[in-house]
Amino acid sequence: MAKWTPEHEAPEPLEGPVVATVTGGTILWFVLFLAQLPFYGWFDDHGYLWWLWTCLAGAGLGLYGIWFVRKREAAIKRDAENAENPEKTEKAEQTENAEKTSGDLSEPVTD
């Protein structure tokens, strides 16, 4: 059997307003949950109660998604800034290392 090889390269991933999209989706799931809540009894009687819990799960996972994409955006922005100013990154690392090794210098030394 021959190994499959792609005929062309994969396209670049689309970048857009990811945080806004995930936030909008999360709000939509939560609104759907609230809209179905008054009909809890009907859903329970007809075996569709899972619709209600699906909306709540979508809202909960959306909250995790918002946290995740915000961290991702911050990391992308930080990496882009570091790529533009590598000297700034080196100075920040040196300062951080110096602070770790110097200890607390605010207290006077008594012998």
Side-chain angles (χ1 to χ4, degrees), residues 20-94:
T21 303
V22 173
T23 302
T26 302
I27 291 169
L28 180 64
W29 279 114
F30 191 68
V31 167
L32 288 172
F33 169 74
L34 292 177
Q36 292 177 8
L37 200 54
F39 304 103
Y40 183 91
W42 186 89
F43 285 125
D44 193 22
D45 293 342
H46 292 87
Y48 292 115
L49 196 56
W50 63 272
W51 286 13
L52 187 71
W53 303 125
T54 299
C55 293
L56 187 60
L61 289 171
L63 291 175
Y64 170 73
I66 292 169
W67 173 80
F68 183 85
V69 297
R70 289 186 68 189
K71 294 286 252 186
R72 178 182 176 268
E73 294 266 327
I76 290 171
K77 186 181 288 185
R78 185 176 56 247
D79 287 346
E81 288 174 1
N82 290 345
E84 291 175 4
N85 299 325
E87 297 152 1
K88 183 178 177 184
T89 305
E90 291 174 10
K91 288 181 182 178
E93 287 176 1
Q94 290 173 355

